[in-house]
Amino acid sequence: MTAPRLDVRGLLRRVAALLPWRRGRTATVTLPEADDVERERLRDLAALLCELGSELLRAGERTAEVERVLRDISARYGMRARCFVVPTGLFVRVGGGPDGRGGELDFAPVEGPALRLDQVQTLHSLVDRMRGEAMPFADVRRALRAEREQPERFSPAATVLGYVLLTVGLGVMRHATVAAVVGYAVLGAGVGLLRLFGDRLPAARTALPVVAAILVTTVSLRWAGPLLHEVPTVLYVPPLIAFLPGAALTLGAIELATGAALSGIARLAGAVNVLLLLALGILVGTELVRPRPRGGPPSETLGAWAPWVGVLLLGLGFLLYFSAPPRVAGWLLGALLLERFVQSAATDLAGSTFGAFAAGMLLPPMAGWIERRSRTPDQVVFLPCFWLLVPGAVGLTSVSELIVERGTAGLSNLVETVITVAAIALGVLVGAGLQRRPRLLVGEPAIGEPAPSGGSHEPSGGSQEPSGDRQDPGSVAHPIGGP
């Protein structure tokens, strides 16, 4: 029997593979330099989209709209983006495959007060540019910094005057007498000065609604009866217009209806918290001062023209207090008057709930039409029109009646407020469904063309590829480079 031959070479290879230095060399993976550069660019893009999304949330945009904008802009840079957006912050993942794996993730909180209308216009102009071309990251950051540092368009005196006009406009739409107008103007000037002082002190913003409500309530109870011959309760709400969370209530209901439950609950919770703070201030004011009897008969109510004048005053107050660009004045006043007309006509036809629904349904197509004709961002029209529908004013009245008077009237008014908010939200959703907005997607490169490297150039137009993210109702998807 022949003895087996010894495989010396194979034995030496096995021994060499067990050596520590050999194991270390085979386990080492060196990434090419291009991959490091690409990852750094993905990090920069994710951070930039987070910064932009934070500014859009400060501008009052819906979370679904912020997600759509960020996905579009990321596609313009040749990258997929997956976003998780809530009113207080957002996560953005850039790059990776359609399944969401890979790429770079970043987060940004939403800090600072809400943007003024001139800042909203500047921000939306930047968004339009970024949708049209892949701007250098440094240019985008400079534009965002300039938007944040943009000075107020009007002086402090004009800002306080704008707040007075806001107060008188809302008050005249609710209760119009000559004496009440005087009370609105005086209280509006006081709260306007208080807000001007509070905006300079960020630490005082939390307590500002309570302090303002106490001030308005005590002054109304002390002097409204003997001097103005008015019931003090009619003067409570209009001077607190800037604190009323009407837009937050409506946007929260819209978020819930569209499936963004976390964002909707957050907005509604914040709005209810503001209402409770204002009602607490009214309660403290009623405990500090007792109402004095009227010194004479009540004033006569002004004519049917007064609410329409109130709409114009509300629009002018918005222009001054929120530093709106002067060229949008005509469009804004026209939009407010049309909203008021549709709401009034629909209310006379089928009740207040249908009036709120009709006014909400008109808002998206009207704002989109104004945006196309005047280059004015639709958000500049959305925000004032939300205030015109005043669900926040009705909500504060009902909450204050529940806390202060502890009567059943407050409960019925609160239920009416909930129904009104739901009707406005449903109308806005129906109106938004009538619009068709294009959407940018990352397409596969055409045959024979190189795949985009994610640089400053645009990716080549190719076949559409589903991104895996949900689309907004009524939106049209097309790849970059298409018509």
Side-chain angles (χ1 to χ4, degrees):
M1 183 174 180
T2 306
R5 296 178 57 185
L6 180 62
D7 187 1
V8 178
R9 291 183 179 180
L11 182 60
L12 291 175
R13 283 197 299 266
R14 291 190 183 100
V15 171
L18 295 175
L19 294 176
W21 63 270
R22 185 68 177 177
R23 289 202 308 268
R25 191 168 69 178
T26 57
T28 301
V29 177
T30 303
L31 293 177
E33 182 180 356
D35 288 350
D36 293 337
V37 173
E38 183 64 19
R39 282 194 170 277
E40 186 64 27
R41 186 176 181 279
L42 287 178
R43 294 190 192 99
D44 289 343
L45 180 58
L48 186 70
L49 293 179
C50 281
E51 186 177 357
L52 179 65
S54 176
E55 290 298 300
L56 288 171
L57 289 172
R58 290 178 60 205
E61 286 283 4
R62 293 189 299 119
T63 55
E65 179 66 16
V66 174
E67 292 178 11
R68 190 175 72 89
V69 169
L70 297 183
R71 288 196 300 263
D72 287 354
I73 293 176
S74 180
R76 178 59 67 185
Y77 287 96
M79 297 294 172
R80 292 183 179 88
R82 296 173 66 87
C83 310
F84 177 76
V85 183
V86 292
T88 56
L90 69 161
F91 289 90
V92 176
R93 182 188 294 277
V94 176
D99 58 355
R101 296 183 179 182
E104 294 293 334
L105 177 68
D106 206 338
F107 165 77
V110 179
E111 298 176 336
L115 298 184
R116 304 186 307 270
L117 293 183
D118 57 338
Q119 293 175 309
V120 172
Q121 184 177 29
T122 302
L123 179 63
H124 279 267
S125 299
L126 175 62
V127 169
D128 291 339
R129 287 183 59 195
M130 296 181 71
R131 274 176 161 162
E133 59 175 326
M135 296 175 58
F137 294 167
D139 293 350
V140 177
R141 288 194 172 91
R142 278 194 295 268
L144 289 174
R145 192 181 309 114
E147 173 264 316
R148 285 190 291 265
E149 298 173 355
Q150 188 171 337
E152 294 187 12
R153 189 177 298 272
F154 302 107
S155 64
T159 303
V160 175
L161 176 61
Y163 196 89
V164 172
L165 294 178
L166 283 173
T167 302
V168 175
L170 179 61
V172 166
M173 287 191 294
R174 293 170 54 84
H175 178 75
T177 65
V178 175
V181 168
V182 175
Y184 298 146
V186 173
L187 292 173
V191 178
L193 290 172
L194 185 63
R195 279 189 63 89
L196 190 66
F197 174 75
D199 290 341
R200 271 51 175 185
L201 296 175
R205 288 177 185 154
T206 304
L208 198 58
V210 179
V211 175
I214 293 174
L215 173 66
V216 168
T217 304
T218 54
V219 173
S220 300
L221 292 174
R222 187 69 177 81
W223 287 289
L227 295 181
L228 302 178
H229 315 309
E230 287 286 350
V231 178
T233 54
V234 303
L235 303 177
Y236 286 174
V237 175
L240 303 174
I241 180 172
F243 302 101
L244 298 178
L249 288 171
T250 308
L251 286 176
I254 293 174
E255 303 273 21
L256 286 177
T258 54
L262 187 60
S263 299
I265 292 173
R267 291 189 190 275
L268 291 177
V272 171
N273 178 64
V274 173
L275 289 177
L276 290 176
L277 288 176
L278 293 173
L280 176 63
I282 293 175
L283 176 62
V284 173
T286 56
E287 295 292 334
L288 292 176
V289 179
R290 295 301 177 186
R292 302 183 64 183
R294 294 179 181 177
S299 303
E300 294 185 2
T301 305
L302 300 177
W305 52 268
W308 297 98
V309 174
V311 174
L312 294 176
L313 293 177
L314 192 71
L316 293 175
F318 261 104
L319 292 172
L320 292 176
Y321 186 72
F322 290 99
S323 294
R327 68 180 182 84
V328 308
W331 295 102
L332 179 57
L333 293 177
L336 290 172
L337 288 173
L338 183 59
E339 279 286 313
R340 178 68 180 185
F341 173 77
V342 171
Q343 185 182 21
S344 300
T347 299
D348 294 339
L349 180 64
S352 59
T353 302
F354 181 72
F357 169 80
M361 186 175 63
L362 173 67
L363 189 50
M366 179 184 65
W369 185 84
I370 292 176
E371 182 179 19
R372 293 189 297 270
R373 295 296 185 276
S374 67
R375 308 294 296 176
T376 299
D378 56 1
Q379 200 71 0
V380 176
V381 178
F382 256 99
L383 296 177
C385 289
F386 269 137
W387 277 27
L388 178 66
L389 302 179
V390 293
V394 180
L396 176 59
T397 302
S398 57
V399 172
S400 62
E401 287 178 349
L402 278 174
I403 294 178
V404 178
E405 300 179 6
R406 298 178 176 86
T408 57
L411 182 59
S412 62
N413 288 335
L414 187 60
V415 173
E416 181 181 355
T417 301
V418 174
I419 295 174
T420 301
V421 169
I424 296 172
L426 181 59
V428 170
L429 288 176
V430 173
L434 300 177
Q435 295 180 294
R436 299 181 67 84
R437 294 187 175 185
R439 177 181 170 189
L440 302 179
L441 294 178
V442 178
E444 294 294 342
I447 299 176
E449 296 183 3
S453 63
S456 61
H457 59 277
E458 298 177 12
S460 59
S463 62
Q464 292 193 73
E465 177 181 339
S467 64
D469 298 324
R470 59 186 175 84
Q471 297 187 22
D472 292 337
S475 64
V476 180
H478 60 80
I480 300 175

